[in-house]
Amino acid sequence: MRQTTMATIFVLVVLAIGGAIYLAEPFNADRRVVQDLSTKFMEDIQFKDFRSSALYHHELEQDRVDIGKAIERLFLVKPEMLNIQDFRIVRTEIDSTSRRARVLVNSRFRRLNIDEEPEEADLQLFWIRRHPQCPLGSDCEAGECRDETGHLVLEEKEDEEGEEVEVPFICDSDREHAWFMNLDSTLESRDYR
């Protein structure tokens, strides 16, 4: 082969490798965080640690989380009858705003006393970056949670006389946003009408 041809092939290979690295975004810190969270979540599920697996959800939503029931709905067996043999992260994507992410997880599992051979299934985990003290759809501004339109987000609390009153959600403006599992997209069955 001529030197020109060899040089052209070399340049094309280098460009292809560079393009693959650019598209995979291996140096994106958020991508690594979301992958690590997804791996830890799946390990908690694999070892039936449902209390820990609920901690990936926002503090204000953890009372709605029942991982065991979600598994029962997804796999149609009681959680203790599901043997997750292994899993791997297939793909991690972060949207253009860097506030939403999704992780595709491939899992090999066997439903005990039902399946002879392991099955394989894909599961998408959805993550959202938000303020750790504000409800979904709001953010912390000057110590108070406000929705997308700038209105105060209110919560009901009991006053000193025991009556229910609406007060603003209070938050610490200095706390950094964090990644939380988007409960409604990942585990909840919903009506999309």
Side-chain angles (χ1 to χ4, degrees), residues 41-115:
F41 175 77
M42 289 302 296
E43 284 176 354
D44 288 346
I45 299 297
Q46 186 176 22
F47 289 95
K48 311 296 186 264
D49 187 353
F50 301 132
R51 184 183 165 288
S52 290
S53 63
L55 299 178
Y56 299 95
H57 298 82
H58 196 278
E59 183 180 313
L60 297 174
E61 297 170 351
Q62 287 178 6
D63 62 335
R64 295 192 312 142
V65 177
D66 188 339
I67 303 294
K69 282 188 181 177
I71 287 175
E72 202 170 323
R73 242 187 357 264
L74 288 170
F75 294 99
L76 303 176
V77 294
K78 298 241 180 254
E80 61 272 11
M81 300 301 290
L82 181 67
N83 177 16
I84 297 176
Q85 296 175 337
D86 56 38
F87 62 89
R88 66 185 175 85
I89 305 294
V90 176
R91 181 177 61 243
T92 303
E93 296 176 72
I94 296 180
D95 78 345
S96 61
T97 66
S98 294
R99 294 187 60 154
R100 298 174 296 198
R102 65 181 178 173
V103 177
L104 181 64
V105 180
N106 178 270
S107 177
R108 278 187 334 123
F109 66 93
R110 190 170 81 83
R111 294 177 298 175
L112 302 177
N113 300 327
I114 296 174
D115 299 330

Side-chain angles (χ1 to χ4, degrees), residues 159-191:
D159 66 7
E160 295 168 359
E161 289 84 37
E163 293 184 30
E164 293 287 322
V165 294
E166 288 189 335
V167 296
F169 264 93
I170 303 300
C171 56
D172 181 355
S173 302
D174 293 331
R175 288 202 47 192
E176 290 192 27
H177 288 68
W179 287 103
F180 296 98
M181 184 172 284
N182 191 349
L183 175 67
D184 292 327
S185 297
T186 301
L187 298 174
E188 285 289 307
S189 57
R190 293 177 48 163
D191 183 5

